[in-house]
Amino acid sequence: MHMSDALLSPAVGGSFWAGSFGLITYCANRLKDRVDDRIVPLMGVLGAFVFSAQMINFTIPGTGSSGHISGAMLLAILLGPYAGFIVISSVLIIQCLFFGDGGLLALGCNIWNLGLYPCFVAYPLVYRPIAGTGASSRRIMIASVLGVVVGLELGAFSVVVQTVLSGRSELPFKAFVAAMLPIHLAIGLVEGLVTAGIINYVRKAMPGFLEGRSLSDMRGTMKGVVIAFAVMALLTGGVLSWFASTHPDGLEWSVERVYGERELPVDGGVITRWFRDIQEALTILPDYDIPADSGGQADTVEGYPSPDVGTSLSGVVGALMVGIVILFIGMGIRHRRLKG
Amino acid sequence: MTSFDKAYFNLGYIDTLSYGDSFVHRLDPRVKLIVTIVFIVSVVSFPKYEILRLIPFFLFPVFMMTAGNIPSGFVLKRMLFVSPFVIMTGIFNPILDSKTFHLVSGLTISAGWVSFFSIMLRFLLTVSSALLLIATTSFYGVCHALNSLGLPRAFVIQMVFLYRYTFVLAGEAMRMVRGVTIRSSNRGMGMGTFVNLLGVLFLRTMKRSEAIYQAMCSRGFDGEVRLLRSLRIRLNDLAFAIISITLFIIFRWFDIPGYIGGLVIR
Amino acid sequence: MSHHIVEFKDVCFSYPDGTEALRGVSFRITHGEAVGIIGANGAGKSTLLFHMNGCLMPSSGTVLIGEFELNKKTRADIRKRVGLVFQNPDDQLFMPTVYEDVAFGPLNLGLSEDVVRARVEEALATVGCYRLKDRPPHHLSMGQRRAVSIAAVIAMQPDILVMDEPSADLDPRSRRQLISLLKGFTHTKIIASHDLDLIMDTCTRCIVLSDGRITADGSAEEILMDEGLLVENGLELPLSLKYRCMQQEGAFHD
Ligand SMILES: Nc1ncnc2c1ncn2[C@@H]1O[C@H](COP(=O)(O)OP(=O)(O)O)[C@@H](O)[C@H]1O
Ligand SMILES: [Mg+2]
């Protein structure tokens, strides 16, 4: 499930952008001390392979509906987590640009949800321990299904958290989670089976390819995971506290549901104050302004809906006129182009 | 036509559009990328009940589309496929949010509908601007832009290869999918067939990868792909960036519709 | 100029799956020669060519390029001298635009940017593709892709030009253009093909390969007119010769 710009606030989108592209840079640098230069074309070509595979629909047994794969776990198994993460990130970038899946700002979230969890959580912590040396196709089957399901569920949960943090949708946290997780369980089962099928095919047709692992340096994977988790924890903490200080609507009630109380435990902490200071220094977006004495959260909620949301009649008339002007500008440019 | 064909032709169509020639196409990809990101951030930074002040922002996609000579049918059709996820997540707002706004005295509107429409407007603005970015900038332009904006070369080169070989591999995949669908008399492809097809495609992919590697080595590849510096910022790029970003700031900061409406009504 | 010499001494090669693709191949090609390597599909032509710049290393026997024996150490240098044009241009054109693709090799030689640009433009002009320089490879026709992949190799200014099936998938017009292009090169040329007309038009010497062995080596004219020899090796007379024979027979009967 792709996160979308329309549901995101800039702070959430920006934080995950920073996290995801930071991780891409980290992975790319790690690949510098690779063992085999073959990985340079291989990554691109396998990306093209997964991207082509995603375009193929197949029938899901017993349902009559059709599905397609996401391929993140497949890439992690074929290329190792670092290269796999880089490749799935590029696939997501292309999907975003060409198919409008998500959006540019949501890209950070999508790379995080659909790339990081499969490659850096599900692969090293679920797939590898279960698949073991990769000698038994039954173990590969179980490992793939469980790995894909874990990766997808984490991703789905993360979509919910991002949506709720952004506060654009009214969906209550628990109901949202309750809707998302079962859907992804089903998707994960199917994708897990397909992944296992392909891995077992590769094992038979190219013996040694997966076992040799000469292409993807696995050393330090656990270190990578620890770093990823640390980044994740920091980001989540940072985003939460940012919101606690700047954006009481939206988060207000969702936090209430998550924590059972109105205020976040981290509120007032160092991070919060830090973010608040930065934010005060760089207030570009007036709507994010917080009252000078920052005790004003409750006021904002009470004062809601605020009078400046532009629902007055003059605003409606003005918006209509602006819309018409834009239409004319567009038609004017097109007309000139056609004549010229 | 199978869904695969549709996706593939779509890709090819955008690819063709992106090599067009127009004022917008000729702009530096870095500038377009940055302006688009500023645009999206400005749009999504409005609070959740904002509708009217989003309207002026349509100027940007409309300009990119018309000045970039992109058929409006293409963009509109894309917008019709509103992401089901966005609808699903937004549609509960009217049900769950029972607050109301006073429009004029006596006329009220449900806050939930307002925030739902706000989400839809955001969707239109952000997705159309991303699509128009790629329809007016070759993907390789985007890659160059990302490279010169600081993303690691290894990542960017890999994207270049990915895009290049998508056209080769997707072509092969298309022939295989057609073969299967013809034989299965349009009942769709089962999972077993799908896995086998991907297995065969994978083996071809590996062969291809090895051949490319050999071809690279034959031309002196030593692990690093070098690029010529090719991007240059010109006056047009600067003007475009300054004007657009200034407009976004004005649209974001001032209530343009309210101001114009106030003038008219008074 | 001794460094333009290619010499194979009893070269054998087996693929990892056990296929014996070369079984003791020996020959010597000297400076300025234009040599055609012909043989049916699977005869081992491509395998042979891949040994000329170290894409494959012989299982036994030696390959000499100039005064150097091919091994892992000399391979990088040998690759600067031997330009190999692959059979499938899609494998060779991986960069975003024609210009950048042709620049790939020269940039790896460590040349300055100005020299690289000059070489790229010259190479593209030579193959008549300068106006395609900003196109992405996937927008080119097969003939154009072939021409550009040749440009990409000649931009490195190799001493020896090696080509694998250069006329495969070409329409007649692009094929004619290719032939006149090849005739223009004064390099040592080695061309593997089963398009015998192409070999006849561009080569002076011919090596016949069958099942990993050399079955004939001599002047192109003699070998290409020897129908018995060709048929024995799974080949046919070049079409142009066949046509000439038919005409002669026709004239005889009349
Ligand atoms: N990568 C490979 N692995 C195993 N066998 C191969 C491989 N490439 C080619 N062969 C085999 O080696 C022999 C020679 O192939 P090749 O040199 O491609 O012939 P040609 O170019 O003359 O058509 C053939 O029998 C072919 O099947
Ligand atoms: Mg061959």
Side-chain angles (χ1 to χ4, degrees), chain A residues 2 34 38 45 57 59 90 97-98 167-170 198 287-288 304-305 309-311 314 318 330 334 337, chain B residues 3 14 44-46 48-49 52 65 70 85 89 93 97 101 103 122 134 158 189 205 210 223 252 257 261:
Chain A
H2 283 86
R34 61 189 165 235
R38 278 183 169 77
V45 180
N57 275 334
T59 316
S90 338
L97 290 171
F98 283 83
R168 301 295 189 253
S169 154
E170 295 283 341
I198 298 170
D287 283 293
Y288 275 61
Y304 227 65
V309 282
T311 37
S314 68
R334 181 130 290 174
R337 285 204 60 93
Chain B
S3 66
I14 300 181
V44 301
S45 70
F46 277 105
K48 77 174 183 194
Y49 294 113
L52 301 176
M65 183 177 81
I70 304 300
F85 177 66
T89 343
N93 286 12
D97 186 350
F101 289 126
L103 203 53
R122 287 158 204 262
I134 196 65
Q158 176 268 145
M189 188 188 311
T205 306
E210 182 61 24
R252 181 64 190 80

Side-chain angles (χ1 to χ4, degrees), chain C residues 40-47 50 87 164-165 192 194:
Chain C
N41 275 331
K45 304 182 292 293
S46 300
T47 310
F50 286 143
Q87 174 169 354
D164 197 359
E165 308 273 5
H194 51 218

Side-chain angles (χ1 to χ4, degrees), chain B:
Chain B
M1 228 163 56
T2 65
S3 66
F4 182 87
D5 289 2
K6 265 184 223 144
Y8 182 51
F9 286 133
N10 224 325
L11 195 68
Y13 183 62
I14 300 181
D15 178 71
T16 313
L17 286 181
S18 73
Y19 285 95
D21 186 32
S22 75
F23 169 75
V24 182
H25 283 89
R26 283 189 294 267
L27 289 170
D28 186 286
R30 287 171 293 185
V31 169
K32 275 183 276 186
L33 184 65
I34 290 172
V35 167
T36 307
I37 289 175
V38 174
F39 171 81
I40 291 176
V41 171
S42 316
V43 167
V44 301
S45 70
F46 277 105
K48 77 174 183 194
Y49 294 113
E50 191 54 73
I51 290 185
L52 301 176
R53 285 175 62 185
L54 289 172
I55 303 294
F57 282 92
F58 277 95
L59 183 59
F60 179 64
V62 166
F63 172 79
M64 294 288 277
M65 183 177 81
T66 49
N69 222 5
I70 304 300
S72 41
F74 160 74
V75 183
L76 292 177
K77 213 158 63 188
R78 271 341 200 35
M79 295 299 102
L80 285 181
F81 294 111
V82 180
S83 149
F85 177 66
V86 177
I87 296 228
M88 187 200 89
T89 343
I91 197 66
F92 289 97
N93 286 12
I95 302 164
L96 296 170
D97 186 350
S98 53
K99 292 192 286 291
T100 53
F101 289 126
H102 296 278
L103 203 53
V104 219
S105 53
L107 192 60
T108 59
I109 179 166
S110 141
W113 280 110
V114 172
S115 61
F116 174 68
F117 279 119
S118 179
I119 289 179
M120 289 300 128
L121 285 183
R122 287 158 204 262
F123 175 81
L124 292 182
L125 287 166
T126 53
V127 173
S128 66
S129 62
L131 273 176
L132 284 164
L133 171 70
I134 196 65
T136 56
T137 315
S138 70
F139 182 73
Y140 295 133
V142 175
C143 291
H144 274 299
L146 291 175
N147 184 41
S148 60
L149 292 176
L151 273 173
R153 176 110 46 90
F155 178 65
V156 174
I157 291 298
Q158 176 268 145
M159 287 216 296
V160 164
F161 275 72
L162 201 170
Y163 191 68
R164 168 73 177 93
Y165 288 100
T166 288
F167 288 95
V168 177
L169 288 182
E172 283 182 20
M174 181 169 72
R175 286 186 286 278
M176 290 163 73
V177 170
R178 277 190 189 150
V180 169
T181 38
I182 287 168
R183 267 174 284 148
S184 65
S185 60
N186 286 332
R187 256 182 294 108
M189 188 188 311
M191 228 164 85
T193 321
F194 176 68
V195 167
N196 280 329
L197 188 147
L198 282 195
V200 174
L201 190 64
F202 176 80
L203 295 184
R204 290 195 195 170
T205 306
M206 293 305 297
K207 254 203 178 133
R208 168 86 54 186
S209 168
E210 182 61 24
I212 296 165
Y213 176 69
Q214 294 297 356
M216 291 172 80
C217 289
S218 299
R219 289 198 279 150
F221 174 63
D222 54 8
E224 198 186 341
V225 177
R226 296 164 181 84
L227 296 171
L228 284 169
R229 242 180 299 279
S230 58
L231 297 177
R232 219 171 291 130
I233 302 256
R234 287 161 312 153
L235 208 59
N236 272 351
D237 301 313
L238 277 182
F240 173 76
I242 291 171
I243 294 174
S244 338
I245 293 179
T246 311
L247 280 177
F248 300 156
I249 292 175
I250 294 175
F251 292 163
R252 181 64 190 80
W253 224 305
F254 301 102
D255 180 8
I256 305 292
Y259 183 69
I260 295 180
L263 281 182
V264 172
I265 285 180
R266 211 177 305 129

Side-chain angles (χ1 to χ4, degrees), chain B residues 207 210, chain C residues 13-23 37-50 56 87 164-165 192 194 209 211-212:
Chain B
K207 254 203 178 133
E210 182 61 24
Chain C
F13 180 80
S14 307
Y15 280 101
D17 67 353
T19 314
E20 287 183 59
L22 297 180
R23 313 170 192 235
I37 301 200
I38 62 175
N41 275 331
K45 304 182 292 293
S46 300
T47 310
L48 180 69
L49 296 196
F50 286 143
L56 295 175
Q87 174 169 354
D164 197 359
E165 308 273 5
H194 51 218
L209 211 57
D211 209 13

Side-chain angles (χ1 to χ4, degrees), chain C residues 205-220:
Chain C
R205 176 175 161 195
C206 204
I207 294 177
V208 184
L209 211 57
S210 173
D211 209 13
R213 286 196 187 83
I214 292 184
T215 48
D217 183 349
S219 100

